[in-house]
Structure formats: structure tokens, C-alpha cells
């Protein structure tokens, strides 16, 4: 076209294809975009690799490779423990009973029966705590739990001591849910027995109060 008089006209700068350019202002080249990076403006975080999924959450505090004990095994262990205690009672009162029968209700036989009952009562109260405070692999196991391959564990990771065993077995299970629960039509006792059926960690109510779980040994 015709030029304006008075001087030569400077050549125009080349334009990038598809991007308009203002007259006289050079445009910076666009930064290359990494393949696979998100196109959302302002995002600079890492990009998950293909096939990434949210990891499955495990039961908090439960060691790897340890499975929770089933409700059936727990009930079976309790029944076996009850059988053991019953046999202990029979053994302790048998001498006095036999003597009382031979002597037609003699005083010595009656005294032996009373002593056998009292000793049996004390042993029944201490039975669980006594066996559960054993060292090593038997810690947390009564005889019934030992025979069925399960054990109680504390959620803080500490082994059962006499105090922890008495708290769980005597104070909470026998006195709170057993004795006190009997004054409420045994509803707390029944709920304590059945609670592992719907609890996520197969815990009974006494496990929650004592901060314990029952696992496969």
C-alpha cells in the first residue's frame, strides 16, 4: 500500500498462529504443558499415578496378621470356663458331702461342705484374672480361651496384670453385668453377651468398658 511521506515503515512482528497480538507489543511464547497434568487453573499439586485408590482402613491398633475372635468362639470359651468352675466346685464340696452322707449329716461333714462352697466361691471370682495374668503366649487367656485359640488383649498394648484381669473379669463382667445386671431383669447381661454380633470390632460391652478386644491366638 502507499506509505506515509516522511520516512520508511518498520516491518510488523510475526504473529503466532491462532493467538491475536496487539499492535506493537511482542507476545511471550506459551510454556509447554506436561503430559497428564491437570488443566485446572492454579493447581500445582502432585498427580496420582494411574490405578491409584484410597487405601482400605484397618482396625485401629490391631497388629497386622491378627484376626478378631468370632462370637461363636467367645461363647464356646465362656461355656468351657463355666464347666471348669463347676468341676472345681464339685471337687471341693465332694469330701464334705460324702462325709455328711456317711455320718448321717454329722457336723464335720457340714463344716466341710460350707468350707468347700466358700472356697469355690472365691476361686470362681478369681478364676479369670488368675489365668489371664500368666506370662507369654498365655497372657489374656482363660482355660476356655486357650482351648479355643483366642485371647483377650488390652488396647493400650500392655499385657494383663492381676489388676487389669480383676477389673475386666471380676468388677465389670461378674459384678457389674452379672450381679448388678440381675436387678434389671438381666437385660444388661444379655446385651453384653449379644453385643459382639453387631459391633464392628466384635467387642462385648465389658470390652468397651475395660478397653480390650478378643482376638485369635
Amino acid at each position: 500500500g502507499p506509505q506515509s511521506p516522511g520516512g520508511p515503515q518498520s516491518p510488523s512482528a510475526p504473529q503466532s498462529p491462532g493467538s491475536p497480538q496487539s499492535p506493537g507489543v511482542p507476545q511471550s511464547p506459551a510454556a509447554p504443558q506436561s503430559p497428564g497434568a491437570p488443566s485446572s487453573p492454579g493447581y500445582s499439586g502432585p498427580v496420582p499415578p494411574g490405578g491409584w485408590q484410597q487405601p482400605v482402613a484397618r482396625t485401629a491398633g490391631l497388629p497386622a496378621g491378627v484376626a478378631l475372635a468370632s462370637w461363636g468362639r467367645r461363647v464356646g470359651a465362656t461355656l468351657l470356663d463355666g464347666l471348669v468352675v463347676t468341676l472345681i466346685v464339685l471337687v471341693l464340696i465332694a469330701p464334705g458331702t460324702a462325709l455328711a452322707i456317711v455320718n448321717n449329716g454329722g457336723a464335720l461333714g457340714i463344716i466341710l461342705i460350707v468350707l468347700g462352697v466358700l472356697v469355690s466361691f472365691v476361686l470362681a471370682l478369681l478364676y479369670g484374672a488368675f489365668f489371664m495374668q500368666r506370662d507369654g503366649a498365655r497372657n489374656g487367656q482363660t482355660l476356655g480361651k486357650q482351648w479355643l485359640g483366642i485371647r483377650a488383649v488390652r488396647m493400650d498394648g500392655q499385657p494383663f496384670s492381676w489388676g487389669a484381669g480383676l477389673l475386666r473379669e471380676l468388677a465389670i463382667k461378674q459384678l457389674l453385668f452379672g450381679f448388678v445386671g440381675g436387678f434389671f431383669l438381666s437385660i444388661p447381661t444379655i446385651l453384653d453377651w449379644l453385643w459382639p454380633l453387631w459391633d464392628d470390632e466384635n467387642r462385648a460391652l465389658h470390652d468397651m468398658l475395660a478397653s480390650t478386644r478378643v482376638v485369635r491366638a
Side-chain angles (χ1 to χ4, degrees):
Q3 291 183 347
S4 300
Q9 190 175 16
S10 51
S12 59
Q15 287 187 335
S16 301
S19 57
Q21 184 180 13
S22 301
V25 179
Q27 187 176 19
S28 302
Q33 192 173 14
S34 300
S39 58
S40 302
Y43 180 84
S44 59
V47 180
W52 181 87
Q53 294 180 353
Q54 179 71 25
V56 179
R58 294 198 315 106
T59 303
L62 195 63
V66 177
L68 295 169
S70 66
W71 182 77
R73 284 180 179 267
R74 297 191 62 169
V75 172
T78 301
L79 295 177
L80 288 174
D81 288 330
L83 179 61
V84 171
V85 172
T86 301
L87 292 175
I88 292 174
V89 172
L90 293 177
V91 169
L92 290 175
I93 67 174
T97 303
L99 188 60
I101 293 174
V102 170
N103 295 330
N104 295 323
L108 181 59
I110 295 176
I111 291 175
L112 290 177
I113 292 175
V114 173
L115 288 176
V117 170
L118 291 177
V119 172
S120 300
F121 179 73
V122 174
L123 290 180
L125 293 179
L126 301 179
Y127 166 82
F130 172 78
F131 282 101
M132 291 178 66
Q133 56 88 36
R134 292 179 291 173
D135 294 330
R138 301 306 180 199
N139 188 263
Q141 288 185 324
T142 59
L143 292 180
K145 289 182 174 65
Q146 178 180 333
W147 294 335
L148 291 186
I150 61 177
R151 63 192 295 255
V153 294
R154 299 172 63 183
M155 295 179 67
D156 60 4
Q158 298 298 316
F160 271 96
S161 59
W162 259 108
L166 289 173
L167 174 65
R168 184 182 190 271
E169 299 297 310
L170 176 59
I172 298 178
K173 287 180 64 175
Q174 299 186 46
L175 295 183
L176 180 59
F177 286 105
F179 181 72
V180 177
F183 291 101
F184 299 92
L185 303 177
S186 296
I187 294 176
T189 308
I190 296 172
L191 285 176
D192 184 44
W193 272 66
L194 298 179
W195 205 267
L197 289 174
W198 52 77
D199 184 76
D200 291 339
E201 299 181 14
N202 297 356
R203 294 173 301 175
L205 293 177
H206 64 262
D207 287 313
M208 297 181 183
L209 294 179
S211 297
T212 59
R213 295 189 187 95
V214 180
V215 300
R216 296 288 298 271

